[in-house]
Amino acid sequence: MGADVLSTLLKPVRIAGSLQFCVHAAGSWQTDGTPRLGKMAQAAIPAIPFHVVANGKCWVRLEGRALDLEEGDVVAFPFATGHALGLGEAGPLICPVDDLPPRPWADVPVLRYGTGHVSTRLLCGYVSLEAMNFRPLREALPVVIQIKSSAPNTSTLVRSAVQELIAEADARSPGGTSVVERLTEIILIELLRSEIVARQGAARGLLAGMTDPIVARALGSMHESPKENWTVASLARTSATSRSVLADRFGSIIGKSPMRYLREWRLFLASNALADTPRPISHIAEEAGYDTEAAFSRAFSRLHGVPPARWRAQARAQHNA
């Protein structure tokens, strides 16, 4: 059920932008932890920085935590949290983001550091994902997600996608950048799926709700049919439970009422429509369940921090960048 709800969450979502580059480092090295990758994207659609270890190993340090990465591992940062990468201790400081050539790129850039045998090869970048504008998803995710290639629960799909991603980046063949983008999208979605599995049995949050039979049915109904005139009573019927049980269970796990969640889901879909279509704001407002454009604008601004017209302008500027 959790995977079904995630599918409906990601179904109306597009990858709004991405960037990939390679780092080949020899010997010991380190970055300074400044959150540069996420800042390369525009503000309207959040960027998730990631790193894939193509060869060798390295460490990641952030917020007092340390992770060891090996060949085939993937690490992503849903909130673009600043993090340091490196190998060994007290290695020379490198700053790949500052060393990138001007865009657009015909091929995936390769940045080389140090001399002698390459000790670490990384594929780095970010993906701008519209789903990160959905507050319940943001609230449910950790600051870092890691997939270990050697872990027994890592899917064959992830391992294959990582190997294909590395091969495409190395091949530098015509059209390879588009393939790299699609493979990056697959890996990112699998990262989110892995987090659902890891959260099974967790007490709170959207990912925990996806694994609860009652809450997951209600989530699935709202995600599949957001235009439906849902009430707590009708959602309870689809969840095969009572109104009181659904309200209590939903609130204790998701942290908000079913009706508030539905409003946020509709406003998220409205943000996508503003970014992706030329439809009049008044039509989008009506589809989101608002009688007037003014009421829609107030609700949208409260949730997203900017009015609908400005949101549309920012999204278009990011798409054209």
Side-chain angles (χ1 to χ4, degrees):
M1 179 64 74
D4 293 340
V5 176
L6 180 62
S7 295
T8 62
L9 173 60
L10 296 177
K11 186 177 180 180
V13 174
R14 66 183 175 94
I15 299 294
S18 65
L19 173 145
Q20 298 86 15
F21 60 92
C22 294
V23 172
H24 294 189
S28 298
W29 56 278
Q30 60 182 317
T31 66
D32 66 3
T34 303
R36 293 182 176 89
L37 259 179
K39 292 181 178 179
M40 293 182 69
Q42 299 295 321
I45 301 175
I48 301 178
F50 69 89
H51 305 288
V52 178
V53 183
N55 291 111
K57 60 183 180 180
C58 67
W59 46 255
V60 176
R61 294 171 184 165
L62 75 161
E63 299 185 346
R65 300 174 59 186
L67 303 174
D68 292 321
L69 302 180
E70 300 174 333
E71 184 171 324
D73 290 358
V74 183
V75 63
F77 306 87
F79 308 105
T81 306
H83 55 277
L85 294 165
L87 181 66
E89 299 297 333
L93 193 66
I94 66 173
C95 187
V97 170
D98 289 350
D99 294 334
L100 288 170
R103 289 184 281 174
W105 304 328
D107 299 307
V108 176
V110 178
L111 305 175
R112 303 180 188 277
Y113 299 95
T115 59
H117 178 69
V118 173
S119 54
T120 310
R121 284 202 314 139
L122 300 172
L123 180 65
C124 307
Y126 68 76
V127 172
S128 293
L129 184 67
E130 288 177 333
M132 288 302 293
N133 281 321
F134 185 45
R135 180 179 290 179
L137 178 62
R138 290 202 312 271
E139 293 170 345
L141 291 175
V143 296
V144 58
I145 303 175
Q146 180 185 14
I147 287 184
K148 297 289 291 180
S149 178
S150 60
N153 61 342
T154 298
S155 70
T156 302
L157 175 60
V158 169
R159 293 193 180 98
S160 298
V162 168
Q163 292 306 313
E164 287 292 329
L165 179 64
I166 295 168
E168 284 292 338
D170 286 343
R172 304 171 70 85
S173 56
T177 53
S178 296
V179 177
V180 166
E181 289 175 359
R182 298 289 78 76
L183 289 169
T184 301
E185 178 180 345
I186 291 171
I187 292 170
L188 178 67
I189 291 173
E190 287 305 308
L191 275 169
L192 296 177
R193 292 188 194 278
S194 74
E195 201 55 30
I196 287 181
V197 174
R199 294 298 182 93
Q200 286 184 349
R204 288 176 62 86
L206 177 59
L207 302 187
M210 290 181 183
T211 65
D212 179 270
I214 290 175
V215 174
R217 290 192 190 99
L219 289 171
S221 297
M222 288 185 279
H223 283 215
E224 286 285 3
S225 304
K227 299 177 187 178
E228 184 78 20
N229 187 25
W230 292 111
T231 64
V232 175
S234 60
L235 286 170
R237 285 194 294 272
T238 68
S239 304
T241 190
S242 67
R243 293 173 55 188
S244 60
V245 169
L246 175 63
D248 290 345
R249 190 82 154 260
F250 201 99
S252 64
I253 294 177
I254 302 298
K256 58 192 69 182
S257 71
M259 293 299 97
R260 181 178 172 186
Y261 182 94
L262 179 61
R263 284 195 299 271
E264 292 187 4
W265 176 239
R266 287 171 171 169
L267 287 170
F268 165 68
L269 296 177
S271 73
N272 288 354
L274 289 165
D276 301 341
T277 75
R279 294 166 54 204
I281 293 177
S282 59
H283 292 183
I284 296 172
E286 183 179 357
E287 194 170 77
Y290 292 85
D291 294 331
T292 67
E293 186 175 331
F296 170 69
S297 182
R298 288 193 296 270
F300 192 95
S301 298
R302 281 196 300 270
L303 186 65
H304 293 294
V306 295
R310 188 182 303 173
W311 179 275
R312 170 169 274 171
Q314 290 177 348
R316 287 176 177 174
Q318 179 165 349
H319 179 71
N320 295 327

